[in-house]
Amino acid sequence: MLEANYHKILERIEAACVRARRKATEVTLIAVSKTHPPESVDALVRLGVRDFGENKVQEAKAKIPLCAGSIRWHGIGHLQTNKARDAVRLFSTIHSVDSLKLALELEKHAEAEARRVAILLETNVSGEGSKFGVAPEALNELALEVNGLPHLELQGLMTMAPFADDPEKARPYFRRLAGLKRELEQKLGASLPHLSMGMSGDFEVAIEEGATLVRIGTSLFGERKSGAFRRIGMDDS
Ligand SMILES: *Cc1c(COP(=O)(O)O)cnc(C)c1O
C-alpha cells in the first residue's frame, strides 16, 4: 500500500508541476511520519524518500535513532523553547519558528552544538486564533532579526491553510504566503529558497502557487491510528 501511495503522490506532484509549468525537481516531498513506526520510514527510504517530518520532539527523539539511512528530518510542529535543544540535535530544518524568543533559543543551542540549522518562519496567513505562526504584519521584522543570527539559516516561510473539504479554498492563503516571501526577499536583498505549504488535502494547489516543500502524511501512510509512536508523543506539545 505504501509503495502504491508513494507512486500515486509522485504522479500527482508531477502533474501539478506540469500545470504550473514548474520542474518536478523544484518540489520536495516531505513524508510526515508522525504516529507511524520506524518500519514505515524504512520502507519509504528504500523507495528513495530522503525527507521526513515529525511534529513532536518526544516522538522524534524516540523514533529517529531507530531509522537507518541518510535521512533529513524536518521539525514541522509547534516548538516550545524548552524543546529547542533537542530540536537542534534532531532536525536539519525547523519549519515552525514563529517568535524571536524561540529563534534566540535555537541560536544558542545551535552555537553550542557548533551547527547551523535551517529554519522557516511559520506564518499565520489565515489569522485563525487556533493557528500558530507569526502574523503577516510582524513577519518582516522577525525575519530581519532572525537573519542576523549566525547559526540559523533563514530559508523561507511555512504555513498551514485552514481546514477545508475543497482544496481551492486554500489557494488564497498559499498565494498570500508566496507574496509575503517575495516582499521579504526585497527587504532582505536576498532570495529565499523555500515555501513549505500543502498537506494531503491541498498539496496540488500549493504546488501551483509555488510550494517547494510539501508535507504529506495521510495520503502516504493512510489514516493515523493511536500506535506506539503516538503514545510516546502524547505528553509533548
Ligand atoms: C500532520 C501534519 C502534516 C501532514 O498532514 P496530512 O493531512 O496527514 O498530510 C503537515 N504539516 C504539519 C505541520 C502537520 O502537523
Side-chain angles (χ1 to χ4, degrees):
M1 185 192 78
L2 202 49
E3 182 163 4
N5 289 350
Y6 172 57
H7 288 298
K8 188 96 214 201
I9 286 168
L10 286 188
E11 278 171 25
R12 290 171 63 189
I13 289 174
E14 276 165 33
C17 285
V18 168
R19 285 196 296 280
R21 298 189 167 76
R22 300 182 59 198
K23 294 201 217 65
T25 51
E26 290 173 30
V27 179
T28 299
L29 164 66
I30 298 177
V32 178
S33 49
K34 65 188 185 196
T35 78
H36 299 290
E39 294 73 36
S40 302
V41 173
D42 289 343
L44 284 175
V45 168
R46 282 195 295 275
L47 295 172
V49 180
R50 286 279 320 271
D51 292 85
F52 289 84
E54 287 285 335
N55 71 332
K56 291 180 192 312
V57 165
Q58 279 313 105
E59 184 177 345
K61 210 172 163 179
K63 189 183 301 177
I64 289 175
L66 304 177
C67 298
S70 58
I71 296 174
R72 285 186 292 257
W73 289 97
H74 298 251
I76 62 173
H78 179 65
L79 200 54
Q80 289 174 337
T81 47
N82 63 0
K83 300 271 165 48
R85 183 163 169 261
D86 283 331
V88 158
R89 292 181 171 180
L90 294 166
F91 302 126
S92 51
T93 304
I94 298 173
H95 294 227
S96 46
V97 178
D98 63 356
S99 71
L100 184 59
K101 185 171 167 235
L102 175 59
L104 290 172
E105 204 61 21
L106 292 168
E107 166 67 21
K108 182 176 87 187
H109 292 294
E111 182 176 18
E113 303 276 326
R115 285 206 42 208
R116 200 142 187 262
V117 182
I119 62 155
L120 305 176
L121 297 179
E122 181 171 357
T123 309
N124 185 355
V125 276
S126 67
E128 285 183 303
S130 61
K131 290 256 189 310
F132 294 109
V134 59
E137 307 74 52
L139 177 64
N140 287 349
E141 190 186 336
L142 177 62
L144 287 166
E145 286 167 326
V146 164
N147 204 38
L149 301 175
H151 299 85
L152 301 186
E153 182 179 335
L154 178 61
Q155 291 196 338
L157 304 179
M158 178 271 224
T159 202
M160 286 173 85
F163 178 80
D165 290 328
D166 177 5
E168 280 302 325
K169 295 225 163 74
R171 191 182 298 278
Y173 302 101
F174 296 151
R175 191 165 288 178
R176 178 91 199 278
L177 194 73
L180 289 169
K181 182 165 94 77
R182 280 194 299 274
E183 264 176 45
L184 182 54
E185 286 172 330
Q186 293 227 306
K187 285 261 175 347
L188 294 171
S191 66
L192 299 168
H194 288 305
L195 275 176
S196 170
M197 55 189 197
M199 312 185 358
S200 290
D202 53 24
F203 70 89
E204 289 148 305
V205 170
I207 290 169
E208 289 167 15
E209 297 301 328
T212 61
L213 303 170
V214 291
R215 312 178 307 267
I216 301 179
T218 310
S219 293
L220 195 49
F221 294 97
E223 292 292 334
R224 285 181 282 276
K225 298 184 276 296
S226 50
F229 280 90
R230 169 51 92 196
R231 284 195 296 278
I232 286 168
M234 281 279 273
D235 59 348
D236 199 309
S237 75

